[in-house]
Amino acid sequence: MEGGGKLDGSLQPGPGIKRRTIRGAGVLLMSQAVRVGLNGVVTVVLARLLTPADFGLVAMVTTITGFAALFKDAGLSMVTIQRERMSDAQVTALFWVNVAVSVTLMLVLMAAAPWVVKAYGEPRLQGITLALASVFVLGGLNAQHFALLRRQMRFAAVAAVELGALVVGGVVGIALAAAGKGYWALVGMSAAVAVVTTAGAWVASGWSPGWPRRGVGLRSMLRFGGTMLGLEMLHYVSGQADNFLIGRRWGDAALGFYGKAFRMLDLMTGQLNGVFRSVAVPALSRLQTQPEQRRRHFLNGYSIVVALSILIISCSAVYAPEAVAVVLGPQWESVGPLFRLLAPGAVAAALMNSQGWLALACGRVGQQLRLALWVVPLTVLAFVVGLPWGPSGVAMAYSVAKVSIVWPVTAVMTRGTGVSVADVFRAARPALIAGTVAAGLGWLLRAVLERHLGPFAVLAIGGATMTGLYLGLL
């Protein structure tokens, strides 16, 4: 590809955007269903081959390496996705910035391994930290390739790469766990996913970087990326502070239970939002000169994501004990109550997270950053308040904090976008009402079923009935 060439292709505002958006959402939803299934299989197998302590050990390190992973992208993928025009020279410049940052992070994390051991008082963490740090370079090598695929709305290629990496990683992880390698199975799985993801992104995108040039407007792109990075850092602190606090205060087993409950929620709802975000941001970004069309498309997509999220969360919360018994096994029994305590916060998060699509498409990352500067400290403070009561106290604090900020966050996120607070809650209202009623009826049904049936039958019959009630009410 010629160095100064445009990378925008046919992605201009018009009917093609709608077709690509619908097609992309369909592809990603189908791939996500497969991904959830594969993740479920891997989770079930590993939960029986490994102990909660194994998961807790790796979670202690990923709390730190996950934060560092935010820097390897430096917020620059969103620059490539969101901008109306991007040249090959501009993407090349961003690629080399990503590579430089990821190499630096790898070296910093390796040097920090002794500190990680000291922070948790666990010597086994040094080897885990060194191993996970070594794959950081791969993230910098694939960031812009994935950004180009998403910018061009080539979601089938994205799905193929991610599913292929998941399959290979799952096979590696299960093989290592079956061989008795313990927590190293989780480390090996992460490394395998990173290798396959990078190779697949380069092949699928068909783009190769040249050498960086001057005069491509790098400063303005770095400014946008820096703001995006600051926002992602704050969100990460909010999302990982609970893991760090529980791991330090209550140990690896407690963190293993809490982390598994949170992971189940994220697997079902967080990734759903991620699917729609991948489609919505590039599509809405192409409608910056058509605010009414952008408003309509956003509200349509928002109502769908909220409806699906509430269905998943409400069914899972009502039948959490049965779901844990069937999927994870009896040794994970403590996950069920934690899942229920986290559920109200998950609903609140579903209402708020999807609003970020619109703010990003409108380029209002500065507004989002200012909002996060008061939301994140409030959330972390809630975790600290709940910590003396263990994982249950932290889970309850998470839900209280999330529910309490829904209204003010919505007011700030929609400002200047052409969408009002009333628009947002009007779009979410049917799902909220249907979810509340269906959950109440589902709870009564569960009380009857559990007296006569085993966990699998209760989960199958109760879940199907509750889903039908929800859809009928909706």
Side-chain angles (χ1 to χ4, degrees):
M1 182 178 294
E2 190 175 333
K6 294 292 182 182
L7 301 174
D8 299 298
S10 61
L11 293 181
Q12 302 305 315
I17 288 293
K18 182 176 181 179
R19 286 195 298 270
R20 284 178 179 243
T21 302
I22 295 172
R23 189 184 306 121
V27 168
L28 289 183
L29 280 174
M30 287 188 291
S31 70
Q32 192 66 13
V34 176
R35 185 170 183 169
V36 168
L38 290 172
N39 264 319
V41 171
V42 173
T43 297
V44 169
V45 175
L46 291 180
R48 284 164 168 75
L49 293 174
L50 303 176
T51 67
D54 290 327
F55 286 92
L57 281 170
V58 176
M60 288 177 178
V61 177
T62 54
T63 298
I64 298 168
T65 58
F67 177 74
L70 297 174
F71 292 87
K72 74 177 186 293
D73 178 72
L76 299 178
S77 291
M78 190 53 64
V79 176
T80 301
I81 295 170
Q82 192 271 339
R83 280 202 166 193
E84 288 191 90
R85 293 286 187 273
M86 285 294 291
S87 69
D88 184 84
Q90 289 174 320
V91 179
T92 293
L94 297 181
F95 168 84
W96 287 110
V97 173
N98 284 142
V99 171
V101 171
S102 63
V103 170
T104 302
L105 285 172
M106 179 189 69
L107 297 176
V108 169
L109 281 173
M110 288 182 168
W115 177 86
V116 176
V117 171
K118 185 176 180 180
Y120 286 105
E122 174 52 73
R124 289 175 291 179
L125 298 182
Q126 178 155 338
I128 298 174
T129 303
L130 293 174
L132 292 178
S134 66
V135 302
F136 260 68
V137 176
L138 298 176
L141 287 171
N142 68 43
Q144 290 304 313
H145 294 77
F146 270 117
L148 285 173
L149 289 172
R150 292 187 171 99
R151 176 183 179 83
Q152 297 163 358
M153 302 185 77
R154 295 174 56 196
F155 298 114
V158 173
V161 172
E162 292 179 342
L163 289 175
L166 181 59
V167 169
V168 174
V171 170
V172 170
I174 291 172
L176 290 174
K181 300 301 181 181
Y183 55 85
W184 285 111
L186 301 175
V187 176
M189 182 169 64
S190 297
V193 168
V195 170
V196 176
T197 296
T198 301
W202 276 65
V203 172
S205 69
W207 178 78
S208 298
W211 292 108
R213 303 178 183 179
R214 294 184 177 182
V216 296
L218 183 60
R219 181 174 299 179
S220 65
M221 293 188 291
L222 291 177
R223 188 181 303 114
F224 183 98
T227 305
M228 192 70 202
L229 175 61
L231 179 63
E232 291 174 349
M233 288 171 57
L234 288 170
H235 285 166
Y236 185 83
V237 169
S238 176
Q240 295 296 326
D242 48 352
N243 290 333
F244 180 80
L245 291 169
I246 291 173
R248 186 170 175 82
R249 173 72 179 272
W250 295 99
D252 51 12
L255 179 58
F257 289 125
Y258 179 88
K260 184 61 68 177
F262 216 113
R263 174 60 179 158
M264 288 175 67
L265 271 174
D266 179 68
L267 182 65
M268 293 182 290
T269 60
Q271 294 189 38
L272 175 66
N273 181 71
V275 166
F276 278 85
R277 181 180 186 268
S278 296
V279 177
V281 173
L284 294 173
S285 295
R286 300 302 181 274
L287 300 172
Q288 295 183 40
T289 59
Q290 302 179 42
E292 181 54 34
Q293 189 177 358
R294 182 181 62 200
R295 171 183 172 277
R296 185 170 63 254
H297 286 338
F298 165 73
L299 291 173
N300 287 339
Y302 179 79
S303 63
I304 293 172
V305 174
V306 169
L308 291 174
S309 298
I310 290 177
L311 169 62
I312 293 169
I313 295 167
S314 58
C315 283
S316 300
V318 171
Y319 294 97
E322 288 75 21
V324 171
V326 171
V327 176
L328 300 179
Q331 65 174 325
W332 294 92
E333 182 180 2
S334 297
V335 170
L338 291 172
F339 191 99
R340 285 176 168 172
L341 290 172
L342 291 166
V347 172
L351 294 174
M352 294 183 290
N353 291 343
S354 302
Q355 299 167 21
W357 314 339
L358 186 61
L360 285 176
C362 294
R364 304 185 70 85
V365 290
Q367 179 174 295
Q368 289 181 279
L369 180 60
R370 290 189 293 272
L371 174 65
L373 285 172
W374 68 266
V375 168
V376 170
L378 176 65
T379 304
V380 175
L381 177 60
F383 293 150
V384 173
V385 171
L387 188 62
W389 289 270
S392 295
V394 175
M396 185 176 295
Y398 167 82
S399 287
V400 171
K402 289 295 184 183
V403 171
S404 67
I405 62 175
V406 170
W407 188 277
V409 166
T410 302
V412 175
M413 292 282 277
T414 55
R415 187 180 303 155
T417 64
V419 176
S420 68
V421 175
D423 289 335
V424 171
F425 285 103
R426 192 158 41 242
R429 183 173 57 196
L432 290 170
I433 295 173
T436 302
V437 175
L441 295 174
W443 197 281
L444 293 174
L445 177 61
R446 178 183 177 274
V448 175
L449 293 175
E450 68 176 346
R451 297 175 186 172
H452 309 287
L453 301 173
F456 181 81
V458 172
L459 180 62
I461 297 172
T465 303
M466 186 173 164
T467 299
L469 285 171
Y470 176 86
L471 295 176
L473 291 166
L474 190 62

